Amino acid sequence: MSGKEGKGVLREPGSEPTLGMDPFADTLRRLREAFSSGRTRPAEFRAAQLKALRRFLQENKQLLQEALPPSISVFEADLSELILCQNEVDLALRNLPTWMKDEPVTKNLFMQLDSAFIRKEPFGLVLIIAPWNYPVNLTLVPLVGALAAGNCVVLKPSELSKGTEKVLAEVLPQYLDQSCFAVVLGGPQETRQLLEHKFDYIFFTGNPRVGRIVMAAAAKHLTPVTLELGGKNPCYVDDDCDPQSGCCPPCQSPSPRFYGEDPQSSPEPGAVIIQRKHFQRTAGLLGCGRVAIRAPSPVPAAPTVLVDVRETELVMQEEIFGPILPIVNVRSLDEAIEFINRREKPLALYAFSNSNQVVTQMLDRTSSGIFGGNQGFLHLILPSLPLGGVGNSGMGRYHGKFSFDTFSHHRAVLLAPLGLEKLNELHYPPYTDLKQQMIGWALGSHGCTLL
């Protein structure tokens, strides 16, 4: 490691000769030693790390904006990446003392003299593996929860988001305690090598295929995981829905309400694919169905609407991550619900209709990680709502307090007072008839009625 990188950054194993040594061992050992020392547990330390993360966001705002693809406007970068991260940090700092408090639980008569509560403890050494599509948000929002919960953290940003990866690797460790935090760089090979190590928790955001690899690696060490996997997110648009009223998301049609009469010259952010690999993958999907609408654009990756799409075609099998909208016609709400339910459970499901009954039926008769009725993805700006999938779209949840809980072990605690051993004789044999009656009564449900 160079002096510029410091202790908090580990270079790609292929960038320097390792002479057959494990490139991660020293870093992970250092972090485990820091956690074992108890350094990360006090509320003061956690708050200091969160404040340092807030300073990183404030002092490097322009640097982070410039690290994002040039197709993303400053407004879009602020809204989808930086502001949401800042809000998560602020929320955690305001509520950290409350979140950390022992949580009392109800007791039966048998345990009335004991103290019973849940203590939220850090897991220990956690690994966060982030994707490329929202490289700041999907990296730092989980980090907020991990730091607030008092863990040591290994952060693995996406190697595909080169600009953001560089900032997170070179600048972020200057703000956080490097005895408890490290950034690891590299691609799939390095990630697989990293996953051979034992972590106390793994948080992964990506696709289901890689999610299975992560879960299999975690299973070898019985490591708990959160998997944010995504997939196909259906959007049901009812016949009784005016697309010009604003009740449908703008992706449904190139509406002049949002982009003007000349969308090509609109200052609003459009669709640009910056990686050749993903451009080629997306272009291959245009052979599915029939092109009904293709926006006039000098860029080959123009927004395109596909119709007559078969359920078995590739565009209906994987997350698109591109400006392609496949439309499947259904004859009724029942048919739409049946179509959704015979596929993998989605991360998000949306229903747009002027009928509240239609929206309610879609909610009641389907399952998804998130549901939006006459509303798009704005659930992401509410930290009081969890973000998480179900089934093939993932497991676990985060955002706001949910992030803190995800990275905390909920430890059940029962403390008996001293000097009451005579009373505790009821707990032990021999169990006479009287003892059995008293224990049965004490463990039962009792209520009082005032006549």
Side-chain angles (χ1 to χ4, degrees), residues 404-433:
F404 176 86
D405 289 338
T406 287
F407 287 102
S408 299
H409 167 57
H410 289 58
R411 188 179 188 182
V413 181
L414 182 65
L415 302 178
L418 297 176
L420 298 178
E421 194 57 33
K422 194 67 177 174
L423 291 177
N424 289 336
E425 289 182 359
L426 184 64
H427 304 176
Y428 310 122
Y431 294 111
T432 64
D433 290 343

Side-chain angles (χ1 to χ4, degrees), residues 55-66 74 78 82-83:
R55 289 198 306 274
F56 165 77
L57 288 167
Q58 293 171 341
E59 296 173 8
N60 298 281
K61 180 178 180 179
Q62 183 176 351
L63 190 62
L64 288 166
Q65 290 171 341
E66 294 171 351
V74 172
D78 283 349
L82 305 182
I83 293 177

